[in-house]
Amino acid sequence: MDPSEAQKCDVAPATATAYLDPNYWDKRFDREEHYEWFKDYSHFRHLILEYIKPKSAVLEVGFGNSQLCEELYRDGIIDLTCIDLSSVAVEKMKQRLSTKGYKEIKVLEADMLQLPFEDECFDVVIEKGTMDVLFVDSGDPWNPEPVTASKVMAMLEGIHRVLKPNGIFISITFGQPHFRRPFFNAPTFTWSTEWKTFGDGFHYFFYILKKGERSSDDTECIEKTDVPSLSLYHEELESEDYLFRTNLDEM
């Protein structure tokens, strides 16, 4: 077995609900150096650079051991703040960035449900697979459990608060539009909602929410894109990303 595949087997949880346990992530990040949920930067770089400018103040929520902030830095995005709930992830990221000389990137231990930032201080907020964790025990995807809905709304309310007027929230996810729109389009928010897709075989979703741009009749996503089929190719079934779509206790 390839060493990287062996490591992936070692850190993958027995059940999807383990993703909700902070201790799981501390143990995982202590053993695993790098993993990219929902494809690496090269797959969506053409999308993300449409919305992030060199002088943008950017917040990444839930960086884990992804290399997203490093890729953005190499593309000239310098004003980067990255947060994660795991102290292990934070320390390892600080060491990695320091070794590479990326000293401008700010790395903080913080809870995405209680963002420790002032109002309207970021041009762009990015999350990649972080919100998906909140849905792993949500029950019926059409009618999520109240505790799930409460956490998702707390996350989105915090992101909306810290975005500057006309700021942009980018969400990279497995979540299909018919499951995400009830949250994104809640009356408390002023952002417009559109999405694009990327990936081969199975498509991942790239949501763009623009603060202050929702119209009075904005009940549908701006970009009318057909939702791709949920059928997965073999290589996608082998990926740990698939656990986010699967309740292993019911298999």
Side-chain angles (χ1 to χ4, degrees), residues 103-122:
K103 297 180 181 180
E104 293 93 340
I105 302 176
K106 296 175 283 292
V107 180
L108 305 172
E109 182 180 341
D111 187 345
M112 66 183 181
L113 304 185
Q114 297 178 333
L115 295 177
F117 305 108
E118 297 180 357
D119 295 355
E120 301 182 351
C121 57
F122 292 103

Side-chain angles (χ1 to χ4, degrees), residues 39 200 202 204 232-239 241-242:
K39 301 296 185 182
D200 300 320
F202 178 80
Y204 299 90
L232 305 183
Y233 285 0
H234 179 70
E235 58 267 27
E236 296 294 351
L237 288 169
E238 299 248 320
S239 169
D241 294 355
Y242 185 58

Side-chain angles (χ1 to χ4, degrees), residues 115-233:
L115 295 177
F117 305 108
E118 297 180 357
D119 295 355
E120 301 182 351
C121 57
F122 292 103
D123 297 295
V124 180
V125 177
I126 305 173
E127 72 89 13
K128 178 170 174 271
T130 306
M131 186 163 60
D132 291 73
V133 173
L134 300 178
F135 285 96
V136 297
D137 67 342
S138 63
D140 179 2
W142 295 101
N143 186 28
E145 294 290 338
V147 65
T148 298
S150 177
K151 290 179 179 178
V152 172
M153 286 301 295
M155 178 182 180
L156 294 176
E157 286 167 358
I159 290 171
H160 191 274
R161 178 183 63 80
V162 302
L163 278 175
K164 295 178 182 179
N166 303 312
I168 297 174
F169 171 39
I170 294 172
S171 177
I172 301 170
T173 175
F174 254 145
Q176 290 189 301
H178 41 271
F179 298 136
R180 289 294 187 264
R181 278 193 309 207
F183 294 100
F184 290 159
N185 290 349
T188 190
F189 305 130
T190 67
W191 47 37
S192 60
T193 305
E194 59 183 298
W195 77 83
K196 301 180 181 181
T197 60
F198 66 93
D200 300 320
F202 178 80
H203 288 77
Y204 299 90
F205 292 90
F206 186 100
Y207 291 95
I208 310 102
L209 291 84
K210 299 177 181 179
K211 187 175 179 179
E213 295 194 14
R214 173 180 288 181
S215 64
S216 59
D217 59 350
D218 186 15
T219 57
E220 297 292 329
C221 290
I222 293 174
E223 182 169 318
K224 305 297 183 181
T225 305
D226 292 335
V227 177
S229 168
L230 287 179
S231 62
L232 305 183
Y233 285 0

